[in-house]
Amino acid sequence: MRKIIESTFVSLDGIIDDTRPSTASRAEPQHWGQPYWDEDHARYAAKLIASADALLLGRVTYEGFAEAWSGREGPDADMMNKTPKYVASRTLTEATAWNATLIKGDVAEEVAKLKEQPGGNIAKWGTGELDRTLVEHGLVDEFHFWYFPVIVGAGKHLFEGAGFDTTHLKLADVDRFESGIVVHVYVPK
């Protein structure tokens, strides 16, 4: 069975996004995290994507990643661009760009079917409504929480508005970067 590996950036005060408006027409996610993206960060992210042969994304992350990666070149961009993506969205009617397939119907049921298919891990980036559904249905096999050494003060919190019961996890690994990022890997108990 394939594993779903959730990868989430978190500030020390539990913020997962940056809702402050930028000069662009939308907020810049992870504005506070970029100063810490170094070789350790790139190495760990490359290790995660190399362990997966598919990506699972919500609409917002899909649109942001497609915009950011589709025009890039090089080995990392080639890997990201060729990897199949599965997109969960209630608002998109199609997801044909950037090697993507729209998940139709019951998301939890369809993701469970994806896990049953042969293949490698399924990497899940971006945290939001999709994560609440995945956790509620016990579909995440590993959580990689990247704790950044920054206090943001405002924004959306990790699992904000979650409607599921308390979920206990077991610490499986810790990776510390020179920049101060500490990645905690948790698995369901």
Side-chain angles (χ1 to χ4, degrees), residues 55-132:
L55 297 179
L56 177 60
L57 307 167
R59 180 193 55 83
V60 173
T61 304
Y62 163 70
E63 289 175 341
F65 274 27
E67 182 181 330
W69 284 99
S70 61
R72 294 184 189 178
E73 294 180 1
D76 292 339
D78 290 346
M79 186 182 325
M80 282 294 283
N81 290 328
K82 75 175 184 177
T83 301
K85 288 100 182 153
Y86 298 96
V87 181
S89 173
R90 290 191 191 115
T91 58
L92 292 177
T93 56
E94 63 178 33
T96 56
W98 201 46
N99 197 20
T101 301
L102 187 63
I103 296 174
K104 297 179 182 175
D106 183 279
V107 171
E109 186 178 307
E110 294 304 313
V111 169
K113 288 179 187 176
L114 284 174
K115 288 180 67 168
E116 293 294 332
Q117 294 176 359
N121 296 332
I122 301 168
K124 163 70 183 67
W125 267 284
T127 305
E129 193 173 335
L130 175 56
D131 292 285
R132 292 189 290 276

